[in-house]
Amino acid sequence: MNETTETTEPTESLKAHFLRLYQMAICDDNFSPLELKALYKSAEERGISQKNLDEILLNPINSKPTIPENIEEKIDYLYDLTVMIWADGEVSPNEKSALEKYVLMFGFMEENALQIVDYLIDSVKDGKSKADIINDLNDKK
């Protein structure tokens, strides 16, 4: 098999991110093929091969969850999680609750968590890009 795309060896942080994405995909009772497709698309965008992603999902890391350090990386990961839950065109209460849990885990203030979740879901529904969201946040600083 001849692979033409360049692949990257995933960091521990990226491995943790893909495990979070997988957890998000399975947190509702309807694990959609569209969610799985979104997971592999996200990996491909980051230069992670299908084989590497399979390895991550089949052999989860045992270290404590790594939390993104800067705001851009936090938004980057939260955006991916939001794309994952919107992949099937609906957001279940479990998915919304899980996204809120990650917003809090990433260090956002509790009183802002639901507003951030709603903003991310609305942005993804409206087709806003990750860059647009980061630019919006930088404009509000």
Side-chain angles (χ1 to χ4, degrees):
M1 195 155 101
N2 187 6
E3 279 192 36
T4 54
T5 56
E6 218 174 288
T7 59
T8 306
E9 186 59 36
T11 63
E12 291 303 305
S13 175
L14 204 50
K15 287 178 184 179
H17 177 57
F18 283 113
L19 289 170
R20 283 191 289 265
L21 285 172
Y22 182 68
Q23 288 170 330
M24 187 64 83
I26 62 173
C27 80
D28 65 357
D29 291 334
N30 180 26
F31 183 52
S32 161
L34 295 170
E35 292 171 327
L36 194 57
K37 187 176 179 182
L39 180 65
Y40 280 94
K41 184 176 188 281
S42 180
E44 183 182 307
E45 289 171 354
R46 286 177 160 58
I48 307 299
S49 71
Q50 184 174 344
K51 182 180 176 198
N52 273 357
L53 182 57
D54 290 344
E55 185 69 24
I56 291 167
L57 298 179
L58 293 172
N59 299 298
I61 53 178
N62 291 325
S63 62
K64 70 180 184 89
T66 56
I67 306 299
E69 292 179 20
N70 62 51
I71 189 71
E72 284 82 9
E73 191 177 9
K74 289 176 183 184
I75 296 302
D76 181 24
Y77 286 3
L78 289 170
Y79 179 89
D80 287 350
L81 289 164
T82 308
V83 167
M84 178 62 62
I85 65 174
W86 182 245
D88 61 359
E90 56 185 84
V91 177
S92 76
N94 282 352
E95 289 171 327
K96 189 171 183 176
S97 174
L99 184 59
E100 185 177 2
K101 181 183 94 174
Y102 288 120
V103 167
L104 293 171
M105 183 192 301
F106 286 6
F108 291 95
M109 293 176 14
E110 191 169 346
E111 58 266 24
N112 298 333
L114 200 51
Q115 186 179 351
I116 291 168
V117 166
D118 289 339
Y119 170 76
L120 287 166
I121 291 169
D122 289 342
S123 296
V124 168
K125 283 181 184 178
D126 294 342
K128 258 190 180 180
S129 73
K130 205 180 293 188
D132 289 340
I133 293 171
I134 291 171
N135 287 337
D136 285 353
L137 289 173
N138 287 332
D139 290 344
K140 291 178 183 178
K141 283 184 180 175

